[in-house]
Amino acid sequence: MIKVEGGPFTTLGGKTVSGEVSDFYIGQLEVCWGFWCVVMHTTPTLMPDKVQESSVYPVMGMNYSDIVGTGGFLEKLNAQLADQTDGMRFKLPSDIQWEYAARGGKNRENFKYSGCNDDNIGAFVVYRTGTTGTPRPCASIYVNSVGISDLSGN
């Protein structure tokens, strides 16, 4: 988890909203299959062949209730780590927290994508152009200025 220092924000997602965001923590990268399997004690059936060879690929094919529902990933993760987190609980970031972190937080730059513009997009963004559509291993691209990877796709 990475601490994101709060500060002023303006979000353009859907409608313009301005305000102040408080400090928060966010995962450094998306959840990988290996971590999912350890928390959930199951091996998902929706793993592409290449992904089955490695636990470092991002989780795919899950729905909202798989994450936040009863018996879902976050409930099980919080139960397993309850004695180690001093009362803190894992949750999905709010839309504003996610966008604030993706844009670089307090020291953000005016990038088109998370951490970059079109001139260096391949270093920060996973996209299908020129690929087979297979995901890349988690954290295989550069991190943005907050230290978070894979915010612009994978």
Side-chain angles (χ1 to χ4, degrees), residues 70-151:
T70 302
F73 181 79
L74 289 174
E75 182 178 281
K76 289 187 177 188
L77 177 64
N78 283 318
Q80 290 174 24
L81 297 178
D83 62 340
Q84 301 171 37
T85 57
D86 293 327
M88 290 180 23
R89 295 186 51 81
F90 295 93
K91 66 178 188 70
L92 292 176
S94 70
D95 293 348
I96 290 172
Q97 288 173 327
W98 189 92
E99 186 172 337
Y100 182 79
R103 289 176 175 233
K106 185 173 160 179
N107 301 315
R108 79 169 207 220
E109 297 184 40
N110 195 22
F111 291 127
K112 183 174 182 180
Y113 305 102
S114 177
C116 70
N117 286 314
D118 289 324
D119 57 339
N120 60 346
I121 189 172
F124 289 89
V125 177
V126 177
Y127 56 98
R128 289 183 176 217
T129 305
T131 70
T132 62
T134 303
R136 291 188 195 176
C138 294
S140 61
I141 57 177
Y142 292 139
V143 298
N144 73 357
S145 59
V146 176
I148 305 169
S149 185
D150 303 340
L151 283 168

Side-chain angles (χ1 to χ4, degrees), residues 7-83:
F9 75 92
T10 299
T11 179
L12 304 173
K15 65 179 187 176
T16 301
V17 177
S18 295
E20 186 85 15
V21 66
S22 299
D23 293 356
F24 64 96
Y25 288 87
I26 193 167
Q28 186 174 6
L29 52 113
E30 68 267 55
V31 174
C32 300
W33 281 116
F35 187 46
W36 178 274
C37 293
V38 166
V39 171
M40 299 301 286
H41 303 290
T42 62
T43 302
T45 57
L46 200 68
M47 293 174 68
D49 292 338
K50 182 176 181 181
V51 175
Q52 291 180 10
E53 300 168 12
S54 177
S55 62
V56 298
Y57 285 88
V59 170
M60 303 177 307
M62 301 301 154
N63 63 44
Y64 186 75
S65 64
D66 293 330
I67 308 302
V68 301
T70 302
F73 181 79
L74 289 174
E75 182 178 281
K76 289 187 177 188
L77 177 64
N78 283 318
Q80 290 174 24
L81 297 178
D83 62 340

